[in-house]
Amino acid sequence: ELQEQLMSLREMIEQVKDEEQEAYDNLPESLQSGQKGELIETNVSTLEEIVTRLEECDQDLSTVMDS
């Protein structure tokens, strides 16, 4: 159950990340290199890191539960 919740959370965060990436991709090039574009890029990067951490937590939890 806990692992299912982690994966559900991961999927939600990936969806937000994809939406942020799409917003960035839809910005004109002049805005992509501006403050708004940089903020979106930072958000995407942070969300990717969170997804990676959740995947690591899921693996660690699997290891503990299988012991």
Side-chain angles (χ1 to χ4, degrees):
E1 181 181 324
L2 184 55
Q3 286 178 290
E4 290 174 12
Q5 291 176 352
L6 277 174
M7 289 301 98
S8 178
L9 181 58
R10 181 185 59 85
E11 290 170 2
M12 288 187 287
I13 292 171
E14 283 183 328
Q15 182 177 357
V16 172
K17 178 192 68 78
D18 291 344
E19 291 170 3
E20 284 287 297
Q21 184 64 55
E22 185 176 341
Y24 177 82
D25 293 342
N26 289 329
L27 284 176
E29 285 185 33
S30 61
L31 293 178
Q32 285 181 352
S33 60
Q35 186 177 5
K36 182 154 181 84
E38 289 178 8
L39 177 62
I40 293 173
E41 283 184 310
T42 299
N43 290 344
V44 169
S45 178
T46 300
L47 291 167
E48 287 173 344
E49 289 176 23
I50 292 169
V51 167
T52 299
R53 290 179 186 157
L54 286 171
E55 289 170 345
E56 290 169 355
C57 286
D58 181 55
Q59 291 171 357
D60 292 344
L61 190 57
S62 288
T63 301
V64 169
M65 308 251 325
D66 290 342
S67 299

